[in-house]
Amino acid sequence: MTMSSLAAVTEPSVSEDCLHGWFLRSALAAPEAVALRIGREHFSYRRLHERALALAGELTARHSAHRPRRVGVLAARSEQAYAGILAAGYAGAAVVPLNPGFPAERTGRMIAAAEVDALVVDEHGLAVVPELADVLSGVPVVHEPGGAAPLERPGTPSPEETAYILFTSGSTGRPKGVPVLHRNVCAYLRFVHDRYRFGPDDVFSQTFDLTFDLAMFDLFTAWGSGGTLVSVPPRALASVAAWVARHGITVWFSSPSVIPVLRRRGALGPGSLAGLRYSLFCGEPLLSRDAADWQAAAPDSRVENLYGPTELTISCSVHRWDPATSPGRCVNDVVPIGSLHPGSDHLLLGADGKPHPDSGELCVTGAQMFPGYLDPADDEGRFLDHEARRWYRTGDLVLRLPDGELGYLGRRDHQVKIHGVRVELAEVEAALRRCGGITDAVAVAVGGELFAFCIGEPRPAADLMEELAAFFPRALIPLRYEYVEEFPLNANRKTDRPALAARAAGSSSRTESEF
């Protein structure tokens, strides 16, 4: 492409009502600014834009209808992956991010469920394509731009069209497709950019896999502000302070599970992350101690706890950590999830299925709520019709705090029954962290028993049970314990609870005396 490729971009291409419009706005303002860093490679806004146009041209030329509906991007964190996400939107299609490191059988199910009709791959994705031959029959696969002319200018999808499709795991393990509309994600981005006022000097970490919705925050808050996105390799966690300083990171965004890992490695000393302006955490509960330790490491940073399921578009509530007041407002050591974004309403659904003023399952409606799952069968039990409005049932239990913010109690599906007694796993974990020598804990229910994984100084199970009995009902006390160096993390660096549950199930024949 030539210099004219950006000159051809005019309104409404840069509309804030379509996802790639946020990128185009910055590309027009400063085309030579660095949009992306991967290792030692730097990619300008112009370069990503031109590669996206080339890929979009190839996609439209090779598609029988001249416009694909849903474009899969089977790629690792490469230039091709990021340009492919833009190219799908440029071609007027929804993007379906896919991870070449996932089992081919799972990826194939996602491709089939999303009805992907074109696929962009990088070298890693290309290596997986033979294993997906059956599901990709008749689907054009684009690795490098060929003889097709680049797209002249990006398309402008309707706000009611699907921007991206991501997959979450249901209780059966079958991936559930979540289509998010352009109007959903753009409503979110308008809130984010208005709240934080990011600018071209900001440099954003990207810790999340591209198949995870929080990665959309990374990409389009960075690009929507004219800033630079930096891919965070796993090895960076070994010396995060040096890495953050070397890359000039000003906005950190990750799951909370990163914090205890860094603390145990001695990488979270006071003032070690002084260059950060914002530190944002999402994806799982943020613990009070973790927020306090991160704030001490990043004293000039605003630390915030973001909350929201994929179905409500990235995050839908936020609490800003205040070292003076936030610790006293935590429930079971968990930082509040805060207040809902403007444009979203909520209600709390009690155990009787009726709205409750103080606690219950969080139900949300508003501009960020997705329209429904790809498979309508997955909608069953996930929506509530109340007062002529449709509400999404998050499955999360919350408590209304005195100031109106929401405290997090745990997942509805983490509420288990042990010998007929209802048990909140988050409450068990908070109690374990009160025990001498234990710095962190995860509880799982296996075979009608509680199994605790602990980090800290190993102690006999009998000692722990005796200490817990001083302030905990008997039914809430785990009978089995295992000490680990670290909790396993999944691809998005969140605590891998299914892996721990499987490990506990595999240890079911072991006795307490073995710990």
Side-chain angles (χ1 to χ4, degrees), residues 61 153 215 314 357:
R153 60 178 58 83
I314 305 177

Side-chain angles (χ1 to χ4, degrees), residues 312 316 340-347 362-367 369 389-392:
L312 293 173
C316 62
L340 272 287
H341 296 176
S344 292
D345 294 325
H346 74 282
L347 61 83
L362 178 62
C363 302
V364 178
T365 192
M369 187 180 76
R389 303 177 75 184
R390 193 184 196 209
W391 306 72
Y392 178 70

Side-chain angles (χ1 to χ4, degrees), residues 225-249:
S225 62
T228 300
L229 181 69
V230 183
S231 178
V232 182
R235 64 179 181 276
L237 296 183
S239 54
V240 67
W243 189 90
V244 165
R246 182 166 65 253
H247 289 277
I249 302 295

Side-chain angles (χ1 to χ4, degrees), residues 256 259 281 284-288 290-291 303-305 321 333-336:
I259 302 175
F281 297 94
E284 58 189 345
L286 174 63
L287 299 181
S288 176
D290 292 342
V303 176
E304 295 200 341
N305 185 33
W321 174 260
D333 298 333
V334 176
V335 176

Side-chain angles (χ1 to χ4, degrees), residues 147-488:
L151 207 66
E152 288 189 10
R153 60 178 58 83
T156 306
S158 160
E160 295 300 322
E161 292 186 63
T162 301
Y164 58 80
I165 299 171
L166 298 173
F167 286 85
T168 62
S169 293
S171 57
T172 64
R174 178 179 61 84
K176 295 193 302 183
V178 181
V180 174
L181 308 183
H182 284 277
R183 65 172 172 81
N184 298 144
V185 67
C186 289
Y188 175 77
L189 290 171
R190 280 190 285 271
F191 165 79
V192 167
H193 286 288
D194 182 65
R195 178 179 180 86
Y196 299 110
R197 301 293 180 179
F198 297 131
D201 293 333
D202 279 311
V203 182
F204 298 74
S205 69
Q206 194 225 322
T207 66
F208 297 105
D209 186 86
L210 293 173
T211 60
F212 194 29
D213 66 326
L214 298 180
M216 293 298 173
F217 175 102
D218 296 332
L219 273 63
F220 291 98
T221 53
W223 294 343
S225 62
T228 300
L229 181 69
V230 183
S231 178
V232 182
R235 64 179 181 276
L237 296 183
S239 54
V240 67
W243 189 90
V244 165
R246 182 166 65 253
H247 289 277
I249 302 295
T250 62
V251 182
W252 176 271
F253 190 31
S254 75
S255 67
S257 287
V258 168
I259 302 175
V261 171
L262 295 177
R263 182 170 53 234
R264 287 190 293 273
R265 295 178 181 178
L268 207 61
S272 58
L273 300 171
L276 295 178
R277 291 202 315 120
Y278 281 98
S279 300
L280 311 176
F281 297 94
C282 193
E284 58 189 345
L286 174 63
L287 299 181
S288 176
R289 179 191 177 190
D290 292 342
D293 284 356
W294 189 278
Q295 183 71 85
D300 301 323
S301 175
R302 291 181 176 177
V303 176
E304 295 200 341
N305 185 33
L306 280 57
Y307 161 85
T310 302
E311 292 85 348
L312 293 173
T313 311
I314 305 177
S315 69
C316 62
S317 73
V318 60
H319 170 82
R320 180 165 293 172
W321 174 260
D322 183 332
T325 61
S326 293
R329 299 163 66 196
C330 294
V331 180
N332 293 329
D333 298 333
V334 176
V335 176
I337 62 172
S339 302
L340 272 287
H341 296 176
S344 292
D345 294 325
H346 74 282
L347 61 83
L348 308 185
L349 196 65
D352 59 0
K354 298 179 181 179
H356 192 280
D358 300 320
S359 65
E361 181 185 359
L362 178 62
C363 302
V364 178
T365 192
Q368 292 181 214
M369 187 180 76
F370 82 135
Y373 293 100
L374 278 183
D375 184 348
D378 289 328
D379 289 351
E380 185 177 354
R382 299 314 305 266
F383 290 93
L384 170 73
D385 291 320
H386 177 70
E387 294 185 347
R389 303 177 75 184
R390 193 184 196 209
W391 306 72
Y392 178 70
R393 299 183 61 171
T394 65
D396 290 312
L397 302 175
V398 302
L399 172 71
R400 196 178 309 282
L401 301 175
D403 64 354
E405 284 200 334
L406 299 176
Y408 184 76
L409 296 176
R411 289 286 302 164
R412 187 179 61 183
D413 50 15
H414 287 175
Q415 198 177 60
V416 299
K417 280 194 174 182
I418 305 296
H419 305 302
V421 179
R422 183 176 293 173
V423 176
E424 296 278 4
L425 294 181
E427 186 179 2
V428 175
E429 292 161 0
L432 285 164
R433 288 190 291 268
R434 290 174 58 183
C435 292
I438 293 181
T439 59
D440 206 352
V442 172
V444 297
V446 176
E449 292 185 353
L450 287 177
F451 194 116
F453 290 93
C454 304
I455 294 175
E457 182 181 349
R459 296 173 57 192
D463 288 357
L464 288 173
M465 294 169 69
E466 182 179 356
E467 185 171 350
L468 287 169
F471 56 87
F472 228 35
R474 180 176 179 179
L476 277 63
I477 297 175
L479 298 180
R480 304 174 60 76
Y481 301 81
E482 181 175 342
Y483 281 85
V484 295
E485 291 293 325
E486 292 183 351
F487 299 134

